Amino acid sequence: VAACFGAYKGSIEGYDKAKTWVVDQYYEIRSKLSTVEYVHVPEAEQSTEELIERISRKHEIPSLITKAIIVQESGRGMRPDRMRYEEHLQKRFKRDPYINDIEYQMLATSFGLTQVVYGLHKGTCNLQSYADLFDREKNLECGLTVLKKCLDVHKNQQVSSDRLRKALGCYNGDGTGGYASKVMAVVADLVVDQM
């Protein structure tokens, strides 16, 4: 209180009134603080590794495959903020007159950990906006939903590795098998890293 009024130049009576007011305010604020209830603080956000484990288990996909797709799509840093314009996909989207150039290109842009293309998977994953794909959990859910559908399409393959290769090609839209080979190479690297 003294610090507040150290430079006070008015009368003693004014000083006393001001001092009384400050002290009253202090005790009023302090009494309110003593009645504050403790609130529950939510647990810390799950790490990307924990999300991969949980969501992979939910979709019945080995977490090693999920992680390999993420590393292939968004790099070893597994950054959820990755974006990549997929020019070869642009022709799939109709150009409405009310869409500007950026919005039109965003339809053919892949986002996030699993590099989901918003324009292709908006309905599949019930996406409300591009921002949904920067959310790690929503992005993983969407990417693994797409992969699970691809695995289901190829469930009649006799050999499991053929089924996985075809599903990875389906996931990426690559009919050549090149994408599957890249992901399988990442799987091998991840296994070696764990040794």
Side-chain angles (χ1 to χ4, degrees):
V1 173
C4 292
F5 296 104
Y8 182 75
K9 303 279 190 238
S11 68
I12 295 292
E13 183 179 297
Y15 176 83
D16 287 339
K17 283 183 180 178
K19 180 180 171 187
T20 302
W21 180 83
V22 168
V23 169
D24 289 345
Q25 293 300 310
Y26 167 78
Y27 282 111
E28 183 179 337
I29 290 169
R30 189 164 177 193
S31 70
K32 288 179 181 176
L33 289 176
S34 66
T35 61
V36 171
E37 295 179 24
Y38 290 98
V39 295
H40 171 70
V41 177
E43 291 181 28
E45 185 177 282
Q46 284 188 311
S47 70
T48 300
E49 295 281 345
E50 292 167 328
L51 282 172
I52 290 169
E53 286 294 328
R54 181 171 56 81
I55 296 170
S56 294
R57 196 169 33 254
K58 176 183 169 186
H59 290 276
E60 300 174 336
I61 294 170
S63 60
L64 189 60
I65 299 296
T66 303
K67 190 170 180 181
I69 289 171
I70 292 169
V71 169
Q72 177 61 35
E73 293 292 345
S74 60
R76 282 204 172 258
M78 297 192 298
R79 290 182 41 193
D81 61 344
R82 294 280 185 185
M83 291 173 56
R84 182 174 57 237
Y85 173 56
E86 310 280 2
E87 187 175 1
H88 65 283
L89 295 177
Q90 193 68 72
K91 61 184 176 268
R92 290 188 179 191
F93 303 103
K94 181 180 174 231
R95 178 71 185 258
D96 291 323
Y98 59 86
I99 292 181
N100 65 35
D101 291 344
I102 293 172
E103 291 171 319
Y104 183 58
Q105 284 188 344
M106 293 294 272
L107 291 171
T109 299
S110 55
F111 297 89
L113 292 171
T114 60
Q115 290 293 284
V116 173
V117 178
Y118 178 80
L120 295 178
H121 302 297
K122 179 182 177 185
T124 305
C125 301
N126 196 25
L127 302 170
Q128 302 303 311
S129 75
Y130 300 105
D132 286 349
L133 293 172
F134 291 116
D135 179 287
R136 293 174 310 146
E137 186 165 357
K138 288 180 183 177
N139 189 285
L140 280 168
E141 280 285 353
C142 187
L144 292 185
T145 296
V146 172
L147 181 59
K148 184 69 172 171
K149 286 184 178 203
C150 289
L151 283 165
D152 290 344
V153 166
H154 297 287
K155 66 183 172 192
N156 293 330
Q157 291 293 314
Q158 297 294 324
V159 181
S160 295
S161 61
D162 289 345
R163 178 183 181 211
L164 179 59
R165 285 185 173 282
K166 289 188 181 294
L168 289 169
C170 165
Y171 176 83
N172 184 256
D174 172 32
T176 66
Y179 179 78
S181 295
K182 290 175 184 176
V183 171
M184 298 312 284
V186 174
V187 168
D189 289 345
L190 293 172
V191 169
V192 170
D193 289 349
Q194 291 176 359
M195 294 170 71

